[in-house]
Amino acid sequence: MKDLPFFNEKTVCLIGPCRQTAELNQFTKNQLIFVDGGAKYRDKNQQCFTIGDNDSLNEKEFAFDILFNPKKDFSDLKGALGLLTSKQEKIFLSGFSGGRFDHFLCVLGDCFNHLDEYPGSIIFLDDNVTLFPKGTHQIEFVGDF
């Protein structure tokens, strides 16, 4: 695990297949993790970390850093979150909502399972959803609510 580019990063951004909501240039190359169909948003001239089963991207010549068996019983997002540790305190998910509602429910489940395992993390899901681990949190609202 120590050889993963994001191993020591406190902030990471996972890129999914739906419309992108994050400005990817605000993250360093080591903070970006392209998840399956999200690899279509990568800069093709730059080395990037990709993970998935290639059922959405379906590029024969493209080599995934971690290639899952398509007959797995977990989502590509769950597999990507499984590589993260307590070092990753802020996890941005871009392009994981806006598709099928059943997929979005799976995304939420994968996120909450991750937060149960790593309660020091916060997950920012696309434009306006922030997921906190169980417990007490203080939130400051600025603007309309």
Side-chain angles (χ1 to χ4, degrees), residues 14-21 24 32-46 48-52 54-59 62-64 94-99:
L14 282 65
I15 311 303
C18 297
R19 181 184 64 83
Q20 291 304 295
T21 56
L24 301 186
L32 294 173
I33 303 168
F34 293 86
V35 181
D36 203 55
K40 67 185 174 188
Y41 296 107
R42 72 195 185 281
D43 179 350
K44 294 183 182 187
N45 299 319
Q46 185 180 30
C48 58
F49 188 86
T50 56
I51 184 172
N54 199 17
D55 69 339
S56 298
L57 187 63
N58 205 16
E59 287 186 20
F62 184 73
F64 280 72
S94 180
F96 284 95
S97 63

Side-chain angles (χ1 to χ4, degrees), residues 26-88:
Q26 73 181 359
F27 299 97
T28 67
K29 179 183 90 161
N30 288 341
Q31 292 175 317
L32 294 173
I33 303 168
F34 293 86
V35 181
D36 203 55
K40 67 185 174 188
Y41 296 107
R42 72 195 185 281
D43 179 350
K44 294 183 182 187
N45 299 319
Q46 185 180 30
Q47 177 66 26
C48 58
F49 188 86
T50 56
I51 184 172
D53 59 12
N54 199 17
D55 69 339
S56 298
L57 187 63
N58 205 16
E59 287 186 20
K60 302 296 183 221
E61 304 86 37
F62 184 73
F64 280 72
D65 294 288
I66 297 178
L67 181 63
F68 297 133
N69 183 330
K71 296 182 181 179
K72 66 190 183 318
D73 63 351
F74 57 91
S75 71
D76 293 322
L77 174 60
K78 182 176 175 73
L81 288 170
L83 297 175
L84 304 182
T85 68
S86 59
K87 290 183 180 185
Q88 286 75 52

